[in-house]
Amino acid sequence: MSGMTHARFPVVAGVAGIAAALLGLAVWNVPSQAAPGGSPAGVVPAPRPAASRPLAQSLRLPADELQEPKLFESGRGVLDILMIAHEAPVDLFWPFRTNGWVYEICPRPDKGDQCPKGSAATNQYGGTRLQVEPGDTLKIRLVNRLPIFTLPNDPDAPVNSHTPANPPARGRSLNPTSLHTHGLLVSPHAAVAGQPIWGDNAFARVFNLANGRAPDFEQMMGPVVYNHIDYVYDIPADHPSGLFWFHPHAHGLTQPQITSGLSGVLTIGHVADEICSDRACQDQLAQVPERQLLLKDTQVESDGTLALDQDTGFCAIDDTPGSTSRSHQGGCDGSVSSPVGGKDHSGGRWFYSINGQVYPSITVGMPTGQIWRITNSSANTTYDLNLWLPNEQRQMDMQVLSVDGISIGTSQRGVHQPSTCTSPFAAGANAGTCTKRLHLMPASRAEIWVSYRDAQGVPRPQPKAVEAILRTSGYSTGPTGDNYPAIDLAKVSIETGDVAMQGDGAMSQRQPSNRPAVPNVYTAGPLPAARNCGTLAPGHSRRIFLNVTQSNTMPFGLGYEELDGQGNPVPGTFVDVRPFDHMDPPLCLALKPGNKPEVERWQLVNLAEEDHSFHVHQVRFSVISAPAVDGTVSPPKIGSRVPMVDSVPLPHADGTCNSVADWRRGACTAHVATVRIPFTIAGDYLFHCHVLEHEDGGMMAGIRVLPNDAK
């Protein structure tokens, strides 16, 4: 498989008083058990240190030091913002004069849909961070000021080079948009008469009326709103803390809108909530600086236009790890002829950025190190992250503390060649897992602790600065998948001393919440009746197929069948792989009486010869079993608690299966994942592959969960 590196994935574990003493961290007691959702029971969250906390030794930072995204925080339990999706120049695409599609975000003004001068972030492509607490209410007015855009060659051409136009291109050219809070467990309710307020509803779309009215077929595809749409997200008081993000979710347009810049970070609570089990741990962890790393990539053609139909053949593939050539620092130059789309991208460039900066400097102070909160907000790109030490010619261990906002343990499923690595956090913290490689498919998040480690994985202070490179190695997603180039993302300097965070997102004070807990079931109000809606028979489960389709309009799709208690298909339940149809949710179930959770087991079968990333809205699920993917870190079972995630990578099948029938005949070997999903939220929502080329191309399906008020 071209472009893929084959280094194995060492994992580490361990708790060490030596390392804790080395780093000046206290030793804490092991908790008996954490509360559900990852927050420790009975622990009052420790305040975050203020941005102006005294520094033991401030370091002089380079001019290109990584800036934190602009931060908007809730106050008195509410964050109320105005979010304007619009076209704006993007300075980082030098020397091109290029416009992107970005969010202008500010506190909502008393009147009007304009941000007062100086109230919004200046680096809008880089992304903004929204910070709320469990129990808060997040209010967003989304205004659509996006322009009409012309699709390549003719009005019915596809937005994506692999995705024939569906829905019709002339409707998509009006550029409707929407908003999804990825990973949040909140209601997806629709607006009702007299109360035009929406929850996390991915079906509603807001059109810019200046571009024209939505055609009739667009109005048949779901609710249509003009100019602005109001969202209200009531975050439950027992909502897990963690790292989330927000992005558009208008079907057929999600890829071009995200690759043009529309996304940002959303954090709930703080890292200590996820990792610590006592106050001493939280107090110590509060002294470790945090950084947000929002990963984005965008392709720019030689004339300065954005390549909305992202082409993974844009650059000549070079999978040499840690390339030092200028062309691979922060991106790669366009190729004369793409092996994928056959296009000439010469003179263009594929930009990879962090917080809207290309190849920035990241200074890490010792002895505390830093916690990096990494979000892959790219539309399609899989990152194979590692820290390369050029002077020592080796990859350095990174300690992974959480995945998708959920802390992880030290025993890791799907890991190869375990090695010894010392944790800097003692017994009061979940020590996490150490790795030399971190595999992040689109929409994945990870929080890692970074400081200098020697070849044995032991954190050690150094008398002088240690230089490193944060990079993504070349990666192939399968025989018919995509090849991603090796890119050096940032230069890292690990130095003795403290580092003050740069930019508008410096650390701020946290106010503890004393709100009472609420039931862990969130319903959306009355829903229309659905056919064949009910609970599975005892012992039964569902099987979901992911593959290409035989459709002439949409190449990707999902299939379905029900399995009995012995794992055999239930007659009459099979639905072959087909593209997304919003009018026909293939799955419907009801909550248990009293709106208690309905728990199901799903088997995920990837029949395609390329990797997919499975994601479900409005839920978190536990991974019971899954194939190993080099560099992938997922939460395993910790004691009696199985942590929850919102996505799982599905490696490509071995062999060619054009249909489910081919798979049943043994034409290919699929690597199957089994997940356990507790449905707690009523409403209509979606499950799909989060590689957005695949999602926009039809690999998505609806699900309807009905409330059940019976006693």
Side-chain angles (χ1 to χ4, degrees):
M1 291 178 284
S2 63
M4 178 179 287
T5 57
H6 298 281
R8 307 308 291 170
F9 169 43
V11 158
V12 241
V15 179
I18 294 176
L22 185 70
L23 295 168
L25 300 179
V27 178
W28 308 291
N29 294 324
V30 180
S32 57
Q33 180 156 352
S39 297
V43 174
V44 178
R48 298 299 302 166
S52 59
R53 73 178 176 90
L55 299 177
Q57 177 186 350
S58 293
L59 298 172
R60 180 173 294 178
L61 303 179
D64 63 348
E65 182 73 17
L66 181 68
Q67 303 288 304
E68 286 289 291
K70 186 175 178 67
L71 174 65
F72 293 95
E73 290 187 280
S74 61
R76 300 183 182 275
V78 177
L79 178 58
D80 191 0
I81 61 172
L82 178 66
M83 180 181 293
I84 304 170
H86 69 125
E87 186 175 54
V90 179
D91 294 336
L92 74 90
F93 298 140
W94 186 89
F96 305 98
R97 302 182 66 181
T98 304
N99 287 343
W101 299 340
V102 296
Y103 290 128
E104 180 180 2
I105 299 176
C106 63
R108 191 183 306 199
D110 293 335
K111 59 181 179 180
D113 287 347
Q114 299 282 355
C115 283
K117 186 176 181 180
S119 64
T122 55
N123 181 9
Q124 295 173 16
Y125 176 90
T128 301
R129 176 186 168 200
L130 309 179
Q131 167 67 35
V132 294
E133 305 295 334
D136 282 352
T137 297
L138 173 60
K139 299 180 178 181
I140 299 177
R141 167 163 286 188
L142 174 64
V143 178
N144 185 354
R145 294 208 180 105
L146 295 173
I148 289 178
F149 69 102
T150 303
L151 296 168
N153 301 323
D154 65 74
D156 291 319
V159 163
N160 185 286
S161 58
H162 302 288
T163 307
N166 190 310
R170 59 191 175 90
R172 288 187 296 168
S173 67
L174 297 180
N175 222 357
T177 192
S178 64
L179 190 67
H180 172 50
T181 55
H182 184 109
L184 263 61
L185 305 178
V186 292
S187 170
H189 67 265
V192 295
Q195 191 176 11
I197 304 297
W198 297 81
D200 189 52
N201 189 298
F203 296 94
R205 292 151 302 134
V206 56
F207 282 75
N208 182 355
L209 191 56
N211 295 343
R213 289 194 167 272
D216 290 342
F217 69 82
E218 284 282 357
Q219 299 183 43
M220 293 173 59
M221 291 182 59
V224 168
V225 181
Y226 289 103
N227 292 335
H228 69 250
I229 183 170
D230 289 322
Y231 295 97
V232 174
Y233 310 95
D234 291 315
I235 301 168
D238 61 349
H239 196 291
S241 295
L243 174 61
F244 308 93
W245 65 301
F246 58 89
H247 61 82
H249 212 294
H251 178 52
L253 286 165
T254 312
Q255 178 192 225
Q257 289 184 357
I258 286 182
T259 199
S260 298
L262 290 172
S263 64
V265 177
L266 200 166
T267 51
I268 297 181
H270 296 276
V271 175
D273 302 342
E274 312 160 36
I275 297 168
C276 292
S277 58
D278 59 33
R279 182 58 178 264
C281 168
Q282 291 181 324
D283 288 342
Q284 292 292 337
L285 199 62
Q287 304 308 309
V288 181
E290 300 171 10
R291 285 192 123 132
Q292 303 291 331
L293 276 70
L294 185 63
L295 308 181
K296 294 188 179 185
D297 69 287
T298 299
Q299 297 173 353
V300 181
E301 302 287 7
S302 58
D303 62 359
T305 60
L306 298 188
L308 299 181
D309 53 338
Q310 199 173 67
D311 180 359
T312 56
F314 191 95
C315 297
I317 298 300
D318 175 5
D319 60 1
T320 304
S323 169
T324 57
S325 67
R326 179 64 185 87
S327 64
H328 282 73
Q329 289 182 353
C332 54
D333 294 332
S335 60
V336 174
S337 179
S338 164
V340 180
K343 297 180 180 179
D344 182 358
H345 299 296
S346 58
R349 188 164 176 82
W350 191 347
F351 288 90
Y352 282 68
S353 68
I354 305 177
N355 299 351
Q357 294 174 249
V358 173
Y359 200 61
S361 295
I362 303 178
T363 307
V364 177
M366 294 190 292
T368 58
Q370 289 177 0
I371 292 174
W372 292 358
R373 310 184 79 180
I374 305 172
T375 301
N376 180 0
S377 71
S378 293
N380 302 314
T381 298
T382 292
Y383 289 83
D384 191 42
L385 295 177
N386 55 90
L387 277 170
W388 175 251
L389 301 178
N391 292 335
E392 301 180 36
Q393 288 295 293
R394 66 178 177 91
Q395 293 176 340
M396 187 176 73
D397 283 289
M398 304 173 287
Q399 184 177 3
V400 183
L401 303 175
S402 73
V403 172
D404 288 358
I406 294 295
S407 62
I408 68 172
T410 58
S411 174
Q412 186 53 49
R413 162 187 52 77
V415 186
H416 305 280
Q417 296 182 355
S419 62
T420 301
C421 176
T422 304
S423 169
F425 302 111
N430 194 332
T433 293
C434 285
T435 179
K436 288 183 172 62
R437 292 175 50 200
L438 185 59
H439 183 87
L440 292 182
M441 293 196 75
S444 298
R445 290 94 65 209
E447 290 160 291
I448 66 175
W449 184 83
V450 177
S451 189
Y452 177 77
R453 290 178 182 266
D454 64 19
Q456 286 69 49
V458 178
R460 295 191 186 280
Q462 295 295 299
K464 61 181 181 179
V466 176
E467 302 303 320
I469 298 172
L470 174 64
R471 73 184 190 212
T472 177
S473 297
Y475 192 82
S476 170
T477 63
T480 63
D482 299 314
N483 293 305
Y484 292 100
I487 302 293
D488 293 342
L489 300 171
K491 47 186 177 291
V492 180
S493 181
I494 305 174
E495 304 188 19
T496 300
D498 273 342
V499 179
M501 296 296 97
Q502 303 295 296
D504 294 326
M507 292 186 297
S508 55
Q509 190 79 13
R510 177 185 177 184
Q511 300 299 325
S513 172
N514 295 317
R515 296 180 183 85
V518 296
N520 194 32
V521 177
Y522 325 113
T523 60
L527 291 172
R531 55 186 173 83
N532 301 324
C533 195
T535 58
L536 292 173
H540 284 217
S541 59
R542 305 185 194 270
R543 178 183 281 158
I544 310 297
F545 297 101
L546 300 87
N547 204 2
V548 295
T549 72
Q550 305 305 311
S551 168
N552 291 324
T553 57
M554 301 181 79
F556 298 102
L558 297 171
Y560 170 79
E561 65 186 5
E562 184 180 330
L563 304 178
D564 64 20
Q566 288 71 48
N568 301 312
V570 175
T573 63
F574 176 70
V575 177
D576 206 353
V577 173
R578 64 182 185 182
F580 173 62
D581 181 355
H582 75 285
M583 296 294 290
D584 186 16
L587 298 183
C588 184
L589 60 115
L591 298 174
K592 290 187 180 301
N595 286 324
K596 295 190 176 168
E598 175 64 28
V599 180
E600 294 193 345
R601 183 174 293 209
W602 289 17
Q603 188 182 95
L604 311 174
V605 183
N606 181 10
L607 301 180
E609 291 184 275
E610 60 181 315
D611 299 349
H612 295 300
S613 180
F614 182 81
H615 170 63
V616 190
H617 291 203
Q618 267 63 48
V619 305
R620 279 185 165 181
F621 53 82
S622 54
V623 180
I624 298 172
S625 64
V629 179
D630 255 2
T632 294
V633 180
S634 301
K637 183 175 180 180
I638 304 174
S640 61
R641 183 169 65 92
V642 180
M644 316 288 274
V645 294
D646 57 50
S647 62
V648 60
L650 302 175
H652 60 83
D654 298 326
T656 302
C657 281
N658 294 317
S659 65
V660 174
D662 287 347
W663 174 67
R664 298 196 203 279
R665 289 195 299 267
C668 68
T669 299
H671 304 288
V672 179
T674 302
V675 299
R676 180 181 180 272
I677 307 177
F679 291 96
T680 63
I681 302 175
D684 288 355
Y685 35 99
L686 298 164
F687 59 96
H688 58 85
C689 175
H690 218 290
V691 178
L692 298 181
E693 172 193 344
H694 305 163
E695 176 196 312
D696 280 347
M699 192 168 278
M700 181 165 68
I703 184 169
R704 174 162 292 166
V705 180
L706 297 182
N708 188 343
D709 296 320
K711 303 300 183 182

